[in-house]
Amino acid sequence: MEHFISVNDIHSLKQAVNLAREIKQNRFGFRHTGKNKTMVLLFFNSSLRTRLSTQKAAMNLGMNTIVLNVGEESWQLETETGVVMDGDKPEHLREAIPVIGSYCDIIGVRAFARLQDRNEDYSEMILTQFVELAGVPVVSLEGATRHPLQSYADLVTIEELRKTEKPRVVLTWAPHPKALPQAVANSFVEWMSKTGYQLVVTHPEGYELAPEFLGDVQVEYDQKKAFEGADFIYAKNWSSYNQYGQVLSRDRNWMVDAEKMARTNQAKFMHCLPVRRNMVVSDEVIDGPDSVVIQQAANREVTAQAVLKMMLESL
Ligand code: SN0
């Protein structure tokens, strides 16, 4: 594996799931793989799970890790090309990236969508520059359009829990006070489309995902209908793609609650976290016996370790 930006960087999902499960049974069995190797994790945005799980994954492989919060602990970095740098950003990405690359063997980068210019976000302006200039493999710690480490953990979690060959997996939009990126939803759809699962996406009108991610996945605008017979409910808020970055609905009726979960086939409740309680999901559901959000988060460590192991082995 050279870089890890999307599902297309994984040759076989089946092998990837098996590797993660093997690692889960034997986290410290590959401690030699990352000896004397260093990973830098660079955050342009906040993180809890990604930061801790990826760092832990690297340490399990014997790697050294350096974490840097851009702007707070380093110079503010200019990311636009061709600008006159007379503002508050003293250093450009084009120098920062190769410099960081010279100190490490793998770079992880988190750079969320800014939700201002759709073309800019969907061109993955920041991640693309890292791939171009780093000189070392790049791991997306959530880009503008995808969150592949999350989707990989989601897939492993579903594989651990599914009771049928082709479970009904429902991605539901849910209300939120802020405009959020489409990355988690895009990526989830992108990964799930490569499985044999029955995937359904439900959201209010105007929240259609980008066609390049949605493909021919079924969209059901009636959330209650979508929940019928579901084996997994994956809740996530995202802002509009068509009216880019806008919040078109704050309808609290879209929150996942016990009444809606009762329509499912005793579905497991999933969310990538962080989650706004009683906006996205009721306390009763997230605290209930079918909530698997902690297992899902715990799987972030093993899937990050699988990615780093594959990368180290092809250095
Ligand atoms: C991010 C997102 O892409 O939706 C990261 C998810 C893993 N989520 C947020 O930024 C939530 C922020 C909030 O205010 O709830």
Side-chain angles (χ1 to χ4, degrees), residues 25-76:
Q25 299 309 315
N26 183 24
R27 276 167 226 247
F28 304 111
F30 310 97
R31 293 194 65 81
H32 54 281
T33 317
K35 186 166 182 258
N36 295 337
K37 302 287 184 206
T38 299
M39 178 167 193
V40 169
L41 293 102
L42 208 63
F43 289 90
F44 286 88
N45 316 93
S46 306
S47 171
L48 187 147
R49 275 150 295 281
T50 300
R51 170 179 311 238
L52 297 178
S53 63
T54 311
Q55 206 175 346
K56 177 65 166 29
M59 294 190 304
N60 292 349
L61 291 164
M63 298 184 85
N64 303 305
T65 60
I66 303 171
V67 183
L68 190 70
N69 299 318
V70 177
E72 292 163 38
E73 300 165 341
S74 72
W75 302 110
Q76 292 271 8

Side-chain angles (χ1 to χ4, degrees), residues 7 22 27 44 56 87 116 119 124 161 169 205 241 245 254 261 264 272 286:
V7 71
E22 183 191 339
R27 276 167 226 247
F44 286 88
K56 177 65 166 29
Q116 278 155 20
N119 288 336
E124 289 287 3
L161 295 165
V169 177
E205 302 263 355
Y241 172 77
W254 276 80
M261 290 301 283
T264 68
C272 61
I286 196 167

Side-chain angles (χ1 to χ4, degrees), residues 221-236:
Y221 291 97
D222 182 338
Q223 191 193 31
K224 289 183 177 164
K225 219 161 142 190
F227 273 47
E228 269 156 34
D231 299 298
F232 294 89
I233 296 294
Y234 196 108
K236 181 73 184 83

Side-chain angles (χ1 to χ4, degrees), residues 149-272:
L149 284 172
Q150 180 66 50
S151 309
Y152 187 0
D154 298 338
L155 174 67
V156 169
T157 307
I158 295 175
E159 283 296 294
E160 288 173 338
L161 295 165
R162 71 178 165 85
K163 295 190 189 110
T164 57
E165 181 86 18
K166 296 182 173 181
R168 180 174 166 93
V169 177
V170 178
L171 169 65
T172 181
W173 181 92
H176 196 284
K178 275 174 46 187
L180 297 187
Q182 296 101 32
V184 171
N186 284 343
S187 213
F188 185 71
V189 168
E190 188 171 52
W191 284 65
M192 292 300 128
S193 297
K194 296 214 163 202
T195 65
Y197 308 159
Q198 309 166 56
L199 178 63
V200 181
V201 183
T202 183
H203 55 69
E205 302 263 355
Y207 281 98
E208 292 75 16
L209 293 169
E212 67 208 80
F213 288 98
L214 190 63
D216 56 7
V217 172
Q218 189 195 336
V219 177
E220 171 56 71
Y221 291 97
D222 182 338
Q223 191 193 31
K224 289 183 177 164
K225 219 161 142 190
F227 273 47
E228 269 156 34
D231 299 298
F232 294 89
I233 296 294
Y234 196 108
K236 181 73 184 83
N237 171 270
W238 62 89
S239 60
S240 174
Y241 172 77
N242 288 318
Q243 287 172 254
Y244 194 66
Q246 302 294 305
V247 174
L248 305 178
S249 167
R250 289 197 164 83
D251 186 353
R252 298 281 183 100
N253 290 318
W254 276 80
M255 181 178 79
V256 177
D257 61 14
E259 195 188 316
K260 281 176 202 158
M261 290 301 283
R263 294 171 175 266
T264 68
N265 182 26
Q266 221 200 324
K268 300 296 182 197
F269 175 80
M270 301 178 74
H271 190 283
C272 61

Side-chain angles (χ1 to χ4, degrees), residues 16-30 57 60-61 152 299 301-310 313:
V17 169
N18 289 340
L19 175 61
R21 297 183 83 163
E22 183 191 339
I23 287 171
K24 196 164 179 172
Q25 299 309 315
N26 183 24
R27 276 167 226 247
F28 304 111
F30 310 97
N60 292 349
L61 291 164
Y152 187 0
N299 280 334
E301 177 185 337
V302 286
T303 51
Q305 193 175 337
V307 167
L308 296 180
K309 180 172 182 288
M310 287 187 262
E313 283 168 352

